[in-house]
Amino acid sequence: MNRGKALHGTVGPSFARGAHDHTVCLEEAVQRAEALCEQRGVRLTKQRRDVLEIVWSGHRPLGAYDILAVLVQEQGRKPQPPTVYRALEFLQDQGLVHRVESLNAFVGCPLPGERHSCQLLLCRACGDSAEMVDPEAVESLKRSAGTAGFEVEKVTVELKGLCPRCASDRAGAGA
Amino acid sequence: MNRGKALHGTVGPSFARGAHDHTVCLEEAVQRAEALCEQRGVRLTKQRRDVLEIVWSGHRPLGAYDILAVLVQEQGRKPQPPTVYRALEFLQDQGLVHRVESLNAFVGCPLPGERHSCQLLLCRACGDSAEMVDPEAVESLKRSAGTAGFEVEKVTVELKGLCPRCASDRAGAGA
DNA sequence: TTGCTTTTGTTATATCGTTGCATCTATAAC
DNA sequence: GTTATAGATGCAACGATATAACAAAAGCAA
Ligand SMILES: [Zn+2]
Ligand SMILES: [Zn+2]
Ligand SMILES: [Zn+2]
Ligand SMILES: [Zn+2]
C-alpha cells in the first residue's frame, strides 16, 4: 500500500523512502514522461531524459550542480551548467519536475500532466521531500489574495520540518 | 484609510504604493524595530538600522547586493557582502525582515514582534509586494501535512501574480 | 540536397552567499 | 582608568547558483 493516491490530502509516494520499490517508481516516472512528451509533440531527448532520471534517482531535491556532477560521472563527456539548466527548464515547462525555491533545487513531480499547484514537504533532517495537494488551502490563499485585489498566477508552498521517519527517530532518541 | 489593518485576510499597507505616506511608514517601522530590540536586549546597531531602512525604502523586495550598492552610495566606506548578510540575518532572527525565497531577496515585515507565518504577494510586473495573513490556509496546510505524518516547522507561501494597480493597468491597455 | 528549426557545446560572466581571521567596539569587572 | 570579555565589523578570498552570447550539430521537411 501507500503507492499512488495515498493519505488524505496527499498524493504520490509520500516519504516512501525504503518503503517502496524505487526502481519501479523511477521507471514509471520515465514512462509517464515519455507518454506525455509524445502526446504533446515535444522531444524528450537523451540529455533531458538523463536529467530527469537523475532528478528521479531519489525523492530528495537535487541542485543543478549535483545533477551536473552525476552527468559528468556517468558520461565520458563533460557537460556544462547550461546543459543542465536547459534540460531542467524543459522539464519544468512540461510539468515533469518542480523547482524548490527555498533550496535552489529540483525534484521530480509525481503528477505530471495535470495542471496543479503543488505543496512541497521538505525534511530538514534527511533531505527527503514529498508532494502534497491541498486544494482547500490553495483556494483559501487565492480568495484572500483576491480580496486584496491581487491576481494570483502561481502559488508556491513549501513546508519545512521533519518527515515521519526523522520525527520518530528524534522522538525515540530521547527528545 | 487602508493603513494598518486592512482588507480581510491581509495586514499592513497592502500594495499601498503611492497611496500612503511612506516616510511615516518607514519611520514607524524603524521605531517598532527600536522598541522591540530594546525590549529584547539586543542591539540595533547603525549597520543594522541602515540595512533595515534600505529594505524599508519601499515595499519591493531587495537583493542583498542591491542593499550593498545603496550602502556604498550612501556612505564613504566600502562595505562588503558579509556586512549586509550579517545584518540581514540579525533582522530575520528578530522577525524584522522576511527572506523571499523565490526572488533571493528581502523585504520588511509589517508585523514584527508577533510570531507569524506570513504569506507574501509578489507582483511580477512592478516588483511590489505585500504581506498577507491567512491562518485558515496555514491551518489547512499543517493539517494535511500532519495527516501524512509530517511535523511542520516552517511554512513558506509566496504568491506570484499582478498587484491591483498592475492588473488594472493591463486590463485598461486592452487585454 | 537544401533550407529551416531545435537542440547542444563552449566560453565567459553575472549573481548570490559563505568562510576565516583580524580588528574594533561596547560593556562591565577590577 | 585599566583590563578582560563578548559581540560586532572589516576584509580578502572563495564557493555556489545561474545566465548570456555565439558557434556547432542534429532533427526534420520540402
Ligand atoms: Zn520512489
Ligand atoms: Zn527525514
Ligand atoms: Zn510604505
Ligand atoms: Zn504591480
Side-chain angles (χ1 to χ4, degrees):
Chain A
M1 59 168 275
N2 204 17
R3 289 253 319 290
K5 299 268 185 239
L7 301 164
H8 168 68
T10 70
V11 295
S14 35
F15 295 112
R17 179 176 55 134
H20 75 299
D21 186 341
H22 187 64
T23 306
V24 173
C25 177
L26 191 160
E27 271 173 15
E28 288 177 353
V30 174
Q31 282 170 14
R32 282 196 300 273
E34 279 174 343
L36 271 172
C37 290
E38 169 75 33
Q39 180 183 322
R40 292 172 182 165
V42 296
R43 289 162 50 195
L44 186 63
T45 61
K46 170 160 169 48
Q47 286 288 1
R48 291 166 175 174
R49 184 203 311 256
D50 285 354
V51 169
L52 180 64
E53 286 181 358
I54 292 166
V55 167
W56 263 102
S57 62
H59 295 276
R60 176 191 180 108
L62 290 183
Y65 282 75
D66 296 331
I67 295 166
L68 183 59
V70 177
L71 277 179
V72 169
Q73 228 181 348
E74 281 184 353
Q75 311 182 344
R77 299 173 297 116
K78 178 92 177 160
Q80 301 298 314
T83 300
V84 175
Y85 281 101
R86 286 193 282 228
L88 286 170
E89 188 184 11
F90 170 86
L91 296 170
Q92 284 180 267
D93 288 348
Q94 299 303 320
L96 297 168
V97 309
H98 294 296
R99 179 182 164 80
V100 185
E101 300 291 353
S102 60
L103 297 177
N104 293 335
F106 304 84
V107 70
C109 172
L111 277 179
E114 320 176 25
R115 277 277 158 267
H116 64 285
S117 68
C118 77
Q119 292 82 56
L120 290 174
L121 306 182
L122 308 168
C123 179
R124 68 163 162 82
C126 68
D128 255 23
S129 76
E131 188 170 329
M132 163 180 101
V133 175
D134 184 339
E136 190 185 322
V138 174
E139 276 320 299
S140 179
L141 289 170
K142 285 186 176 165
R143 199 178 328 119
S144 297
T147 307
F150 188 81
E151 250 182 44
V152 178
E153 290 173 349
K154 188 179 178 210
V155 178
T156 301
V157 175
E158 299 178 4
L159 308 190
K160 213 158 280 183
L162 291 175
C163 73
R165 172 196 285 243
C166 291
S168 67
D169 279 5
R170 205 186 46 163
Chain B
M1 58 166 278
N2 205 17
R3 287 253 320 289
K5 299 270 184 236
L7 301 163
H8 169 68
T10 69
V11 294
S14 34
F15 295 112
R17 181 177 54 134
H20 75 298
D21 185 341
H22 187 62
T23 305
V24 173
C25 177
L26 191 160
E27 271 174 16
E28 288 176 352
V30 173
Q31 282 169 13
R32 281 195 301 272
E34 279 175 342
L36 272 173
C37 290
E38 168 76 33
Q39 180 183 322
R40 291 172 183 166
V42 295
R43 287 162 54 193
L44 186 62
T45 61
K46 172 161 168 45
Q47 287 288 0
R48 291 166 175 173
R49 184 202 313 256
D50 285 354
V51 169
L52 180 64
E53 287 181 358
I54 293 166
V55 167
W56 264 103
S57 62
H59 295 275
R60 176 191 179 106
L62 291 183
Y65 281 74
D66 297 331
I67 295 167
L68 184 59
V70 177
L71 276 179
V72 168
Q73 226 180 350
E74 282 186 351
Q75 311 182 344
R77 300 174 295 116
K78 180 91 175 158
Q80 302 297 315
T83 300
V84 174
Y85 282 102
R86 286 193 282 228
L88 286 170
E89 188 184 9
F90 170 85
L91 295 170
Q92 284 180 267
D93 287 347
Q94 299 304 320
L96 297 168
V97 309
H98 294 297
R99 178 182 165 81
V100 186
E101 300 291 353
S102 60
L103 298 176
N104 293 336
F106 303 84
V107 70
C109 170
L111 276 179
E114 319 178 24
R115 277 277 158 269
H116 63 288
S117 68
C118 75
Q119 291 82 58
L120 290 174
L121 307 181
L122 307 168
C123 179
R124 68 162 162 80
C126 69
D128 255 21
S129 75
E131 188 169 329
M132 165 180 100
V133 174
D134 184 338
E136 190 185 321
V138 173
E139 276 320 299
S140 180
L141 289 171
K142 285 187 176 168
R143 199 178 328 118
S144 297
T147 306
F150 188 82
E151 251 183 44
V152 178
E153 290 174 348
K154 189 179 177 206
V155 178
T156 301
V157 175
E158 299 178 5
L159 308 189
K160 213 159 279 184
L162 291 175
C163 73
R165 171 196 287 242
C166 291
S168 67
D169 279 6
R170 206 186 46 165

